[in-house]
Amino acid sequence: MTTLADRTITALRTNHDELTAFVRGLDAADLTRPSGCSEWTVAQVLSHLGSGAEIGLATLRAAQAGQDAPGQDFNHPVWDRWNAKEPKQQAEDFLTADAEIVSAYESLDADAREQLQIKLGFLPMPGSVALVAGMRLNEAALHAWDVRVAFDPAATVARDAAGVLTDLYAGPLDFMIGFIGRSDALDPRVATTLRVETTDPEHVLGLTLGETVGFSDAPDPADVTLSLPTEAWSRLLGGRLAPEHTPPSVTVTGDGVTLDDLRRVFPGI
């Protein structure tokens, strides 16, 4: 049986392989282009992914040894070291670091994928492999888009990654929606539950906007329906669905909430 952890790890591998092939084709000038991530160049996005991979690998190894995750005294020197690299070195070292963390997740057997608990300093309880690998996939898939969109305004998030992320957002990563969603972007006194219908692959879910932002059962009938490709849904939640990067198939029907409203609720971090 294929579990959510299995699917997440498979999507991490696909994302790594595709981004690796893309990055290997970039020259020095390409690496200094502005990326889709505000105020970062392509190389700086890769550096961020590389340092995150190094920290994530240390966190996974600590969990396997029954230890707490490394703290800020470990993380800050890692960030400083990566930030000091030249763009070409940031890109090359990203390829190595990302391969290492993906391989480490792939090496987990079935029992570890379901039972291993990983301690993270910013969560009150240890997280499952699906949760922690899912957080890595969320970051890796969106930042892969940040790299690609520097060269193609119509770039998309990979289909398999977007599909898995949609299941993760409504599952172990549901806490992230409350964290990244700006409940104060709309009138919190007026709660609205949208029906969200995504395609390729298909999902149907409810998104409640009010004093908090979170998932719920999909209303039927619904006052407002958001219809869009699954990859665009993952970009909307990640603050990456600006008008110039919105496919024409994205629609909002009904009264009370517009696509611009949703962009304000999910501005990205």
Side-chain angles (χ1 to χ4, degrees):
M1 178 176 126
T2 301
T3 67
L4 184 55
D6 295 334
R7 293 171 58 215
T8 302
I9 292 168
T10 298
L12 279 171
R13 165 55 65 186
T14 302
N15 188 79
H16 168 78
D17 289 347
E18 292 179 352
L19 184 55
T20 292
F22 188 85
V23 170
R24 290 195 188 284
L26 302 182
D27 60 24
D30 292 332
L31 291 173
T32 58
R33 280 194 189 201
S35 75
C37 195
S38 177
E39 300 181 0
W40 279 357
T41 65
V42 168
Q44 287 170 321
V45 171
L46 297 174
S47 175
H48 177 73
L49 282 175
S51 61
E54 185 175 335
I55 292 168
L57 180 60
T59 300
L60 177 60
R61 295 301 189 213
Q64 291 176 298
Q67 301 170 353
D68 290 339
Q72 296 301 310
D73 56 341
F74 175 85
N75 297 348
H76 280 288
V78 172
W79 293 326
D80 290 343
R81 177 162 38 82
W82 278 85
N83 289 339
K85 298 175 188 284
E86 294 297 321
K88 184 173 184 295
Q89 199 65 50
Q90 288 174 326
E92 291 178 353
D93 290 352
F94 154 74
L95 299 176
T96 300
D98 198 56
E100 288 176 348
I101 192 170
V102 172
S103 295
Y105 276 118
E106 288 176 327
S107 72
L108 298 176
D109 62 24
D111 286 342
R113 292 185 182 198
E114 291 306 299
Q115 298 176 16
L116 182 65
Q117 294 293 296
I118 304 172
K119 296 179 180 179
L120 301 172
F122 53 88
L123 292 180
M125 300 290 290
S128 66
V129 169
L131 183 152
V132 180
M135 292 178 66
R136 176 62 186 180
L137 178 62
N138 179 67
E139 183 172 46
L142 291 177
H143 282 317
W145 180 86
D146 290 331
V147 170
R148 290 192 180 93
V149 79
F151 306 90
D152 177 10
T156 60
V157 171
R159 180 185 186 277
D160 64 335
V164 176
L165 283 172
T166 299
D167 291 335
L168 286 164
Y169 295 145
L173 297 187
D174 62 347
F175 70 94
M176 287 181 55
I177 302 305
F179 175 71
I180 64 178
R182 293 286 305 274
S183 59
D184 60 349
L186 306 178
D187 187 345
R189 298 169 298 178
V190 181
T192 302
T193 299
L194 284 70
R195 181 180 176 88
V196 180
E197 299 176 347
T198 77
T199 58
D200 194 29
E202 294 183 356
H203 294 81
V204 177
L205 60 155
L207 176 68
T208 297
L209 310 176
E211 293 185 359
T212 60
V213 178
F215 291 120
S216 62
D217 293 335
D220 187 15
D223 292 332
V224 182
T225 298
L226 169 66
S227 302
L228 70 177
T230 299
E231 73 83 22
W233 169 240
S234 65
R235 288 195 288 117
L236 172 63
L237 297 180
R240 290 166 170 81
L241 199 65
E244 64 269 26
H245 302 306
T246 299
S249 57
V250 177
T251 61
V252 178
T253 57
D255 296 325
V257 177
T258 67
L259 187 54
D260 281 338
D261 289 334
L262 294 173
R263 291 183 177 116
R264 288 194 296 273
V265 172
F266 299 107
I269 55 175

